[in-house]
Amino acid sequence: MKFFSEVTIPLSQPELIVAYSNGLSSLSAAKILLDAFGLKDTFHEEQSSPYYTTYSFLAKIGDLHVPVVGIRHMSRFKPKTDLVKSAWKVQSGKLQKLGG
């Protein structure tokens, strides 16, 4: 995670990170980001159905706040783009309140 936070993020300056997640109780990219960088009070569950689980949070990575949207892994599930956009919008609003 050190390379990710010190090299990848500063070079890429992402507006959004979409990360695969099969839930918060098992190891996944979104869970790792949430545990390492997530601002827990920004967590928002957009959809919790077994097929379309989508959630979001702000990650503070170095000096940058980045919205993260967690979606089910596409090897078995189909993400709904409207849920991703809605979750991103929620976090973008929280980001604006932070001044970023």
Side-chain angles (χ1 to χ4, degrees):
M1 296 311 294
K2 186 175 180 177
F3 184 85
F4 180 76
S5 65
E6 293 180 6
V7 178
T8 305
I9 293 299
L11 286 175
S12 63
Q13 297 283 308
E15 292 180 54
L16 171 69
I17 296 172
V18 177
Y20 294 125
S21 173
N22 287 328
L24 295 173
S25 60
S26 61
L27 190 61
S28 68
K31 175 73 169 137
I32 291 168
L33 288 171
L34 180 62
D35 289 347
F37 307 109
L39 301 176
K40 307 278 192 284
D41 59 328
T42 65
F43 185 85
H44 171 77
E45 192 167 61
E46 190 68 29
Q47 173 65 263
S48 63
S49 74
Y51 196 80
Y52 293 113
T53 298
T54 305
Y55 60 85
S56 62
F57 56 90
L58 286 178
K60 184 171 184 335
I61 307 171
D63 294 331
L64 189 64
H65 288 88
V66 182
V68 177
V69 175
I71 62 171
R72 296 296 302 262
H73 198 284
M74 292 191 306
S75 65
R76 295 182 52 209
F77 302 94
K78 180 180 178 185
K80 291 182 81 172
T81 56
D82 60 325
L83 292 176
V84 173
K85 289 177 184 177
S86 180
W88 185 10
K89 184 176 181 179
V90 166
Q91 295 307 326
S92 294
K94 293 177 183 180
L95 187 59
Q96 287 182 342
K97 288 180 182 177
L98 289 175

